[in-house]
Amino acid sequence: MRRFVSPVCQRIQRRGCSAPARSTFSILQAESATAAEVRGWVHGVDVDPSALQQIAQLSALKSIIRHPVAIMPDVHGGIGCTVGTVIPTSGALIPASVGVDIGCGMVAVKTTLVPEQLPGSLEHLRTEVEASIPHGRTHSGRAESDVGGWRSRVPERVQAVWKAELAQGFEELCRRVPHLRQSNHINHLGTLGTGNHFIEVCLDNDPIQQHVWVMLHSGSRGIGNRIGSTYIALAQKDMGALVHTLPHKDLAYLTEGTVHFTEYIAAVEWAQTYAMWNRRLMMAFVLDALRRALPPSVAFEVDGAHAVNCHHNYVERFVVDATSGEAVWLTRN
């Protein structure tokens, strides 16, 4: 499984963001015969009672969670389990813990623009961006009417990416799950969505010379939602009567080696690829809008060495013991 972390992001991880010391987390749930250990990086965070309940329910899945669960400062209630959680599962995956915005993440690029080159008002830039990138949701998301999609007017740039990078994988998914064809797939590629998704023009805090950055947050849109919802339901169906033994039905899991597990892994990887391209396309549209909004005399370039495009909602195979080869499925939601 791939997270699509850019080289600069990898350098930050290696050099500047080493793993937190043990003293920085607290034990929210001690390991026992019936519960996995839960570690929380939540000092000073007022964790909602419903989130605490979901954390307790998750830790009770000791049969598939054999290593500590990590709770992040952004923790809050989600479908079946909390958002802001890192879950290591052994021999299984919980589709609801991955969620329905598979591959959701951030992209940010540094430009050569400095603050003095921006106009006094960014209203024109905002208008250009809003005209370039569909956003929001109307008409229950119907492809022909929803303002959040391309409404059958998919730009050639989007069509080219779909054909070269996504179409073949999508056909393979649809052979297994035909109803995915009825989802918003190419119609949502290069579009923002709703909720906490955003596009932002911002400044860094370089003490020598500030620069303008463009940043945005989005994921796999309608098709990711359809994939997630489909496999959450299939996990519950596959578990049959055993689903009633779980702390919550949305914690139903797919067992490694089964047909639906294998399908789900392929679907998640495809959705993560879709999400990466969705962000790349939108970034290109925003940069084009920025160039149109600035005077012709103000030209700028993008600093490729300072570009980040990475998921914060993903699944990957992670080796926890190199000697024994023990690996887990690591879910970050």
Side-chain angles (χ1 to χ4, degrees):
M1 302 295 288
R2 294 170 290 172
R3 283 187 294 159
F4 302 104
V5 181
S6 71
V8 70
C9 194
Q10 292 172 338
R11 289 198 296 273
I12 291 170
Q13 291 171 343
R14 287 196 296 267
R15 299 175 186 174
C17 297
S18 57
R22 287 190 59 87
S23 60
T24 63
F25 66 80
S26 56
I27 302 298
L28 303 183
Q29 168 70 58
E31 183 179 12
S32 69
T34 58
E37 180 179 321
V38 179
R39 300 175 180 179
W41 279 260
V42 291
H43 180 71
V45 177
D46 185 15
V47 182
D48 184 85
S50 64
L52 291 172
Q53 181 182 18
Q54 288 188 328
I55 292 168
Q57 291 172 339
L58 180 67
S59 72
L61 295 181
K62 187 68 182 294
S63 61
I64 62 169
I65 302 178
R66 301 163 191 168
H67 296 274
V69 172
I71 305 299
M72 301 291 103
D74 63 332
V75 64
H76 57 279
I79 299 175
C81 80
T82 48
V83 177
T85 308
V86 183
I87 308 167
T89 50
S90 299
L93 272 172
I94 307 167
S97 71
V98 180
V100 295
D101 195 2
I102 303 166
C104 188
M106 308 284 286
V107 59
V109 298
K110 180 182 179 181
T111 74
T112 56
L113 287 170
V114 297
E116 294 75 21
Q117 292 176 295
L118 292 176
S121 170
L122 299 181
E123 183 177 355
H124 180 47
L125 171 58
R126 175 172 177 167
T127 300
E128 287 283 352
V129 170
E130 290 180 344
S132 301
I133 299 176
H135 51 282
R137 185 175 188 267
T138 63
H139 299 85
S140 301
R142 293 194 300 273
E144 70 280 3
S145 306
D146 179 22
V147 299
W150 293 112
R151 291 185 281 185
S152 303
R153 298 189 297 272
V154 182
E156 290 184 3
R157 183 186 294 182
V158 175
Q159 293 183 46
V161 167
W162 176 263
K163 182 178 180 180
E165 305 293 342
L166 298 166
Q168 182 178 344
F170 183 68
E171 289 302 316
E172 293 172 0
L173 293 181
C174 290
R175 281 195 286 271
R176 305 183 190 105
V177 187
H179 74 255
L180 292 178
R181 291 192 190 279
Q182 279 69 60
S183 66
N184 279 307
H185 37 86
I186 188 173
N187 187 52
H188 273 180
L189 184 61
T191 71
L192 186 62
T194 61
N196 63 354
H197 294 172
F198 65 84
I199 297 169
E200 182 175 293
V201 175
C202 48
L203 305 177
D204 61 28
N205 59 357
D206 190 318
I208 299 174
Q209 175 62 69
Q210 286 185 297
H211 282 91
V212 175
W213 286 66
V214 177
M215 178 170 61
L216 63 86
H217 173 214
S218 191
S220 52
R221 302 291 282 110
I223 180 60
N225 186 295
R226 186 67 64 90
I227 290 170
S229 299
T230 294
Y231 284 94
I232 289 171
L234 284 173
Q236 295 173 6
K237 181 179 179 181
D238 286 359
M239 291 199 72
L242 290 176
V243 77
H244 299 295
T245 67
L246 298 173
H248 193 285
K249 65 182 179 66
D250 283 333
L251 291 176
Y253 53 85
L254 298 168
T255 302
E256 191 165 5
T258 63
V259 171
H260 285 154
F261 181 95
T262 303
E263 288 181 3
Y264 182 61
I265 289 295
V268 166
E269 181 152 5
W270 182 87
Q272 291 178 175
T273 305
Y274 180 105
M276 179 197 66
W277 279 107
N278 186 45
R279 292 189 292 270
R280 282 185 179 178
L281 282 165
M282 281 191 287
M283 180 58 71
F285 293 144
V286 175
L287 292 173
D288 287 348
L290 182 55
R291 290 187 172 96
R292 289 193 302 271
L294 293 173
S297 59
V298 180
F300 70 90
E301 300 296 330
V302 171
D303 184 348
H306 290 85
V308 177
N309 188 356
C310 58
H311 306 317
H312 56 70
N313 184 3
Y314 61 87
V315 176
E316 68 173 333
R317 189 72 163 164
F318 185 81
V319 176
V320 293
D321 188 329
T323 302
S324 67
E326 181 189 2
V328 297
W329 290 101
L330 197 66
T331 300
R332 171 66 169 93
N333 184 0

